[in-house]
Amino acid sequence: MRLTFEDGTLLLRDYRKGEPVPPAFVWDDRVDMWRAQALFYRESLEFMRQNDADLNNTAPRYNKLTLELKSTPEPHPHQRDALEAWKQRDCRGVVVLPTGSGKSQVGLMAMARVQRSTLVVAPTIDLMNQWYDLLSQTFGGEVGLLGGGYHELQDLTVSTYDSAYMHMERYGNQFGLIIFDEVHHLPGEMYSHAAEMSLAPYRLGLSATPERADGRHVLLNTLVGPTAYEKGIVELSGDYLAEYRVESRQVQMVAEERAIYETARSEYQDFLSQRSIKLGSLAAWRLFVQLSAQSSAGRRAMLAYQRHRKIALGTVSKIRVLEDILKIHPRDRVLIFTNDNETVYEISRIFLIPAITHQTKTKERKASLEAFNQGTYLAIVTSKVLNEGVNIPEANVAVVLSGSGTIREHVQRLGRILRKREGKQATLYEVISKDTVEDRISQRRRRHPAYYAKVQS
Amino acid sequence: MLTSDLLLTRSRGPYIEPRYVDATDDQYLDLAQALIDIFQAHQGHSRKELQAALDQYAGDRTDYRIQRGLAKLLFDDHCEFHITSPIPPEELRQATFALSRENHPIVRDTSLIYPVQRQDVLDQVGRKFDLAADQVLDGLYADLTENHQLSTFAVPESNYLLNRYNVALAQAMLYRCDSLQLSVHRNLPVRYKQLFKFIKFYRLIHAIEGDLDAGYEIVLDGPVSMFRHSQKYGLQMAVFLPALLLCTRWQMRADIKRKDGRKQEFILDDQSDLVSHYRNQGEYDSLLEQTFAERFEKAKTEWQMERETEIINLKETVMIPDFAFRHPDGRTALFEIMGYWRPEYLRRKLDKLRRAQRHDLIVAVSANLNVSEDDFKDVPGGVFFFKNRIQPKDVITQLEQVH
């Protein structure tokens, strides 16, 4: 019989009755053949070997490579330990390390260890670009890209999760090793297909925060392998991460804003209390959304809700505080984070500093980040795109002007300024509108040991 | 196509369907027209201004999601946007940020320590490019999508827009579909071929049961569907839908998974008012077929020619013969024409004929093709060669030999 890879699955062609069938295979009535998810390639092959099957294996199409780690720094002990632990688990599993502690380096070491065609999957175009640079610098030669307008496969290829999910049914047999960066994205309903439709026998997941609110991180055991190694942010602070402190700045909305805020707030609250709805649960929120589509009064209440939130997060007082912070740090490298792109561009126009959003083209983004690292620019304003893993070692001040309530986003923003450098002291400012909905948002996102150990007001 | 958040649905017990709009109702025709007018009036304006006008029109109306859906279709299919700026925005940015870096940080009020104001920077950049300070500020981000200008708007009829919207709703429903069941009954071979061409093109997998008289039950899903219910193929099914709408006799039942995990069924059939925007192929595959059909109609024989034909399931693929014949005494037969084929199609067709193993399938082969009788020795049904046109009497001779 012949083992083939087709559309993200494995098929047994020319199968004769009585030949051994691995447990992952199921009879597919639609095509009259045995079929399995590509994910189970490695264990199916082992089963075939144990049962001395007469097998013509045409499924894998990846290559053996000779990758050499050139010009990379001597690995830190935690990086060496992480790789060792992963090797012990047959080169499958997740490595959990804080942002800024050199997770990508572990990825490079894994590639040099496995020596097979490798696909790196990253959540954003920025990170895809960054891995692209890293792989070309480290190993030389052509590196392929899948996503962000590129569709080009090489022995070493970098992809976004979106593209990996879309195209794995075609390319799932082209790689022996898959590295899932920020692997907490993988267990989603759709993205998990990217792991299932690949036959890669070697898999590595990297993350600072693998847990998901929906609990689906348990799926990583099957999709990538169990957690092989884990070290936390507090354990590595000082030794491998820069020293840091967190400062909270509370601002008062100006009088006109406060007036609009209160009017908007009572408008939606009146609407809700008349219907005995208390916001705070998902069910109550859904009901509010439902009601807002049923009557003009509901629609007005929803618009008022959005208005009051927007004012709290975007008060002009925050701009004043930002100016003060910039004056305190005239020679530091400052990253400014906001919740939405509109504010990013507003701040860019007010302070005449470069902005980076998902709309910024790859070339310009790269140039801006380089200029920032070299000191040609001293400040960059951004929304969500620099939340994860982008390499800006020189950044030492972060200003969170507004954000969501998620812990992950906040930890990642902090991580942007923690890359270790001699004598570096990092500061994270959090600017909050006093006595508004933002108090609650801030409390929610700070439920992480990296914060309550360090906050000063 | 619509995004999932613009899909409006209505549930009735185990069933779910989109909230279609009545494309002949004045209320909706007026709404569509109003939106079309807003788009038309904003030619030469920015996307942001257009969006603001749309938001203002929506106001506190509760049908804002219908409006957004209609606007999405207008944005996607009828608009062209352009960047308008005297100086490339990237150049303006570079000059501005470089100058502001020299005076970092830029402050509101000047002082001994911060003698340079924002206005000074903008003025100086303006002088370099021969622009006013305001123009510098406007041009700084002229390349952002929201600042793009609507240069061309292809004005649709309001009725056309509503029809497109209804189809788009049904398509958006299928994003959440993990399995699609089709019942098709006595369609023209070209319609079946069209249908299976799309099934194959969108990499869907089919299971088929049934026959010519009872009709066919086709289940559509994807390769991994047998391992887990997956909406991965939902998008493929959505783009496939307009092809189904071209069939004449059909019913579709789609398993829809709701966000809360509940399963519901979305049913659609040939009685629906949905209008496909895909182009229909003619009634025949080729002139050869058409000429033969016209000639056979005039031939003196008791055999009745039927255009509705059988689907022969070959598992990984199907074969759809061009014609079916029926005799008053109950005999039936199928007929396939091999006219002008490229070599690889020819090979595949031969393979299909062998695998079909049908004794009641007659094949007419063009003498111009690079095949001989030898190639057909494993094909059980009658085979004959023709020069330029197919003679009905040759077919009748073969028909009499079936059984």
Side-chain angles (χ1 to χ4, degrees):
Chain A
M1 63 187 148
R2 195 154 59 90
L3 181 68
T4 64
F5 174 87
E6 284 169 52
D7 297 321
T9 64
L10 301 168
L11 283 178
L12 290 180
R13 291 191 171 268
D14 314 323
Y15 174 84
R16 282 187 307 273
K17 246 203 160 114
E19 291 189 290
V21 180
F25 279 79
V26 178
W27 181 252
D28 187 348
D29 224 12
R30 302 169 302 178
V31 296
D32 281 353
M33 269 179 270
W34 291 99
R35 193 193 290 272
Q37 287 184 287
L39 171 67
F40 299 110
Y41 171 70
R42 184 163 161 177
E43 59 191 67
S44 297
L45 215 57
E46 274 159 22
F47 177 92
M48 294 284 203
R49 270 191 208 120
Q50 280 161 16
N51 288 274
D52 294 320
D54 177 17
L55 183 72
N56 175 12
N57 181 7
T58 63
R61 286 288 151 83
Y62 53 81
N63 300 314
K64 201 162 173 7
L65 311 174
T66 44
L67 297 172
E68 230 182 299
L69 280 174
K70 288 182 236 163
S71 70
T72 46
E74 185 64 16
H76 294 306
H78 65 265
Q79 290 168 330
R80 233 191 327 257
D81 292 350
L83 187 78
E84 195 50 44
W86 179 71
K87 265 159 57 184
Q88 293 294 320
R89 292 193 173 271
D90 299 324
C91 301
R92 271 178 181 252
V94 176
V95 167
V96 182
L97 283 171
T99 312
S101 63
K103 284 198 301 288
S104 329
Q105 179 69 24
V106 177
L108 298 178
M109 289 158 70
M111 291 168 74
R113 160 77 203 170
V114 169
Q115 300 287 4
R116 297 287 188 283
S117 309
T118 300
L119 178 71
V120 179
V121 186
T124 63
I125 306 272
D126 291 81
L127 277 173
M128 182 184 85
N129 288 330
Q130 195 166 305
W131 274 102
Y132 174 84
D133 291 341
L134 194 61
L135 296 190
S136 345
Q137 281 162 25
T138 311
F139 300 116
E142 288 287 309
V143 175
L145 280 174
L146 202 58
Y150 295 94
H151 197 124
E152 192 192 307
L153 251 65
Q154 299 286 349
D155 273 330
L156 303 184
T157 298
V158 191
S159 156
T160 58
Y161 275 89
D162 271 324
S163 294
Y165 153 69
M166 299 268 289
H167 301 300
M168 198 61 87
E169 56 191 329
R170 261 183 289 167
Y171 305 132
N173 60 342
Q174 310 264 340
F175 302 98
L177 168 65
I178 300 199
I179 298 176
F180 294 101
D181 194 12
E182 310 289 348
V183 71
H184 46 271
H185 289 274
L186 183 64
E189 173 91 31
M190 289 308 191
Y191 286 168
S192 51
H193 281 295
E196 289 170 351
M197 293 184 153
S198 155
L199 55 69
Y202 310 107
R203 291 161 190 244
L204 171 64
L206 300 170
S207 178
T209 46
E211 289 79 23
R212 292 168 57 98
D214 61 7
R216 287 179 69 110
H217 49 265
V218 295
L219 295 177
L220 288 174
N221 282 340
T222 332
L223 297 175
V224 182
T227 300
Y229 185 81
E230 184 163 8
K231 266 270 153 50
I233 199 164
V234 180
E235 291 165 77
L236 291 174
S237 167
D239 288 339
Y240 302 105
L241 296 175
E243 283 292 346
Y244 68 97
R245 66 197 168 97
V246 178
E247 281 201 30
S248 236
R249 292 288 170 101
Q250 300 220 322
V251 300
Q252 290 286 1
M253 286 191 286
V254 299
E256 305 104 74
E257 285 174 342
R258 178 57 79 178
I260 302 172
Y261 179 86
E262 293 301 342
T263 314
R265 202 169 77 113
S266 50
E267 180 172 353
Y268 86 80
Q269 284 192 336
D270 285 352
F271 176 84
L272 290 177
S273 62
Q274 278 162 24
R275 286 155 187 82
S276 316
I277 300 168
K278 272 189 91 156
L279 286 188
S281 69
L282 191 61
W285 176 250
R286 285 209 177 123
L287 189 58
F288 187 15
V289 171
Q290 222 171 50
L291 289 173
S292 77
Q294 284 168 6
S295 72
S296 287
R299 183 70 190 136
R300 277 196 300 274
M302 179 55 80
L303 292 171
Y305 174 85
Q306 289 165 357
R307 205 159 51 235
H308 104 292
R309 200 182 147 96
K310 199 174 161 197
I311 293 169
L313 266 59
T315 165
V316 295
S317 308
K318 287 189 174 181
I319 306 287
R320 304 235 165 96
V321 171
L322 177 58
E323 186 179 314
D324 293 341
I325 294 172
L326 290 174
K327 281 178 177 168
I328 299 172
H329 299 276
R331 293 289 163 259
D332 286 319
R333 306 292 160 75
V334 186
L335 287 176
I336 301 155
F337 293 99
T338 76
N339 194 42
D340 60 298
N341 288 335
E342 208 182 320
T343 316
V344 168
Y345 287 110
E346 198 186 318
I347 287 171
S348 169
R349 283 166 200 257
I350 292 176
F351 292 96
L352 303 179
I353 54 175
I356 294 184
T357 70
H358 67 277
Q359 277 207 52
T360 314
K361 298 254 165 18
T362 310
K363 243 176 84 183
E364 189 180 351
R365 167 176 26 218
K366 205 173 154 221
S368 293
L369 289 174
E370 271 169 22
F372 181 78
N373 274 332
Q374 285 157 15
T376 314
Y377 292 148
L378 292 174
I380 283 184
V381 56
T382 182
S383 54
K384 311 257 182 199
V385 293
L386 290 188
N387 281 2
E388 285 182 287
V390 173
N391 195 5
I392 23 182
E394 298 301 321
N396 61 342
V397 176
V399 185
V400 175
L401 276 191
S402 55
S404 66
T406 65
I407 297 166
R408 181 192 314 284
E409 178 184 276
H410 213 46
V411 171
Q412 281 165 340
R413 286 176 165 186
L414 172 62
R416 303 275 52 79
I417 56 171
L418 290 186
R419 182 91 37 176
K420 176 89 173 164
R421 208 193 47 200
E422 198 50 45
K424 177 163 154 182
Q425 167 71 49
T427 313
L428 178 105
Y429 290 92
E430 192 191 13
V431 187
I432 303 154
S433 295
K434 214 174 158 185
D435 304 324
T436 70
V437 56
E438 204 175 20
D439 289 331
R440 251 200 340 271
I441 300 175
S442 163
Q443 279 164 23
R444 269 213 310 274
R445 67 186 171 217
R446 292 205 314 209
R447 287 181 200 139
H448 190 278
Y451 291 91
Y452 37 78
K454 299 269 186 179
V455 175
Q456 299 158 6
S457 285
Chain B
M1 303 253 274
L2 297 177
T3 43
S4 311
D5 59 310
L6 296 174
L7 171 64
L8 300 170
T9 60
R10 179 185 290 123
S11 287
R12 277 180 293 116
Y15 303 107
I16 185 166
E17 62 172 18
R19 281 174 197 263
Y20 299 116
V21 297
D22 180 349
T24 58
D25 184 335
D26 280 340
Q27 179 199 339
Y28 293 114
L29 286 167
D30 289 348
L31 171 62
Q33 194 56 51
L35 297 178
I36 291 167
D37 291 345
I38 292 175
F39 273 79
Q40 208 171 359
H42 278 79
Q43 292 188 80
H45 292 261
S46 73
R47 186 187 266 266
K48 195 176 11 183
E49 289 169 302
L50 169 56
Q51 189 58 56
L54 290 169
D55 288 346
Q56 203 199 341
Y57 179 77
D60 58 9
R61 293 174 60 151
T62 49
D63 61 357
Y64 65 98
R65 285 211 287 180
I66 298 178
Q67 295 190 42
R68 280 189 204 162
L70 293 170
K72 172 86 165 58
L73 298 177
L74 289 174
F75 270 121
D76 289 353
D77 303 336
H78 296 272
C79 289
E80 271 178 49
F81 287 93
H82 282 110
I83 299 172
T84 51
S85 167
I87 309 289
E90 213 180 320
E91 261 179 62
L92 274 184
R93 286 198 287 272
Q94 243 167 30
T96 310
F97 299 150
L99 196 60
S100 100
R101 160 67 173 90
E102 288 172 28
N103 302 286
H104 180 84
I106 298 294
V107 296
R108 257 162 314 140
D109 305 312
T110 50
S111 63
L112 225 54
I113 315 172
Y114 303 104
V116 177
Q117 255 190 332
R118 177 166 171 271
Q119 190 62 38
D120 304 329
V121 173
L122 293 174
D123 285 339
Q124 205 178 323
V125 175
R127 278 197 293 281
K128 184 177 167 191
F129 293 104
D130 207 15
L131 298 172
D134 278 357
Q135 287 176 297
V136 174
L137 208 53
D138 283 344
L140 211 52
Y141 285 113
D143 51 349
L144 282 188
T145 315
E146 57 177 41
N147 296 331
H148 292 183
Q149 281 198 358
L150 177 58
S151 50
T152 321
F153 177 62
V155 187
E157 294 288 331
S158 50
N159 172 265
Y160 172 86
L161 178 61
L162 294 177
N163 279 327
R164 277 302 302 274
Y165 175 72
N166 283 334
V167 173
L169 281 176
Q171 289 181 292
M173 183 73 106
L174 292 180
Y175 300 160
R176 288 191 265 143
C177 165
D178 53 33
S179 168
L180 199 78
Q181 295 125 60
L182 301 178
S183 308
V184 287
H185 183 55
R186 298 180 80 81
N187 281 276
L188 293 179
V190 274
R191 299 287 167 271
Y192 280 148
K193 282 177 190 171
Q194 220 165 248
L195 199 66
F196 281 95
K197 195 180 81 189
F198 278 100
I199 290 174
K200 211 170 228 176
F201 185 74
Y202 292 117
R203 305 167 82 91
L204 298 168
I205 291 193
H206 53 76
I208 307 172
E209 273 175 26
D211 58 47
L212 178 60
D213 290 321
Y216 297 92
E217 291 290 324
I218 305 171
V219 179
L220 285 187
D221 50 21
V224 304
S225 303
M226 56 190 293
F227 304 109
R228 65 180 268 199
H229 286 294
S230 170
Q231 295 165 54
K232 179 171 185 355
Y233 307 105
L235 185 65
Q236 279 125 290
M237 293 184 194
V239 272
F240 161 79
L241 180 68
L244 177 62
L245 296 178
L246 294 176
C247 283
T248 34
R249 267 166 289 188
W250 56 275
Q251 192 200 44
M252 176 202 89
R253 295 177 308 285
D255 292 336
I256 304 293
K257 195 174 157 195
R258 290 161 43 118
K259 284 202 190 88
D260 59 15
R262 244 170 72 204
K263 282 270 184 152
Q264 284 178 307
E265 215 176 18
F266 168 36
I267 296 181
L268 203 59
D269 62 28
D270 52 51
Q271 298 304 303
S272 96
D273 293 326
L274 295 183
V275 184
S276 179
H277 56 283
Y278 284 12
R279 281 229 342 246
N280 220 341
Q281 278 177 26
E283 302 233 319
Y284 294 95
D285 258 354
S286 66
L287 192 61
L288 190 68
E289 263 178 45
Q290 188 177 348
T291 320
F292 167 73
E294 284 161 10
R295 288 165 63 97
F296 194 92
E297 290 296 338
K298 293 179 198 140
K300 285 208 169 77
T301 173
E302 281 194 291
W303 284 94
Q304 292 283 314
M305 189 179 70
E306 295 187 355
R307 294 274 0 244
E308 300 90 357
T309 182
E310 196 165 327
I311 301 172
I312 303 172
N313 185 9
L314 302 173
K315 292 287 178 174
E316 278 183 280
T317 180
V318 292
M319 183 172 161
I320 299 157
D322 299 314
F323 297 94
F325 291 96
R326 196 184 288 269
H327 197 275
D329 66 13
R331 283 180 291 162
T332 59
L334 301 168
F335 182 43
E336 172 73 11
I337 300 174
M338 289 173 76
Y340 309 104
W341 295 72
R342 284 191 287 152
E344 68 263 37
Y345 283 94
L346 192 62
R347 225 176 334 103
R348 242 188 286 166
K349 180 65 89 181
L350 270 171
D351 182 52
K352 280 186 181 184
L353 285 169
R354 288 184 191 121
R355 284 170 53 198
Q357 284 297 310
R358 292 284 294 244
H359 295 266
D360 58 346
L361 175 60
I362 298 160
V363 189
V365 188
S366 166
N368 299 323
L369 289 173
N370 190 20
V371 283
S372 66
E373 275 180 45
D374 232 25
D375 291 306
F376 291 89
K377 63 176 190 294
D378 303 332
V379 178
V383 176
F384 70 95
F385 287 78
F386 65 92
K387 281 259 166 55
N388 293 318
R389 37 170 69 168
I390 301 159
Q391 301 299 339
K393 67 173 172 37
D394 292 343
V395 179
I396 295 163
T397 311
Q398 292 288 341
L399 284 171
E400 290 302 333
Q401 287 167 22
V402 173
H403 298 288

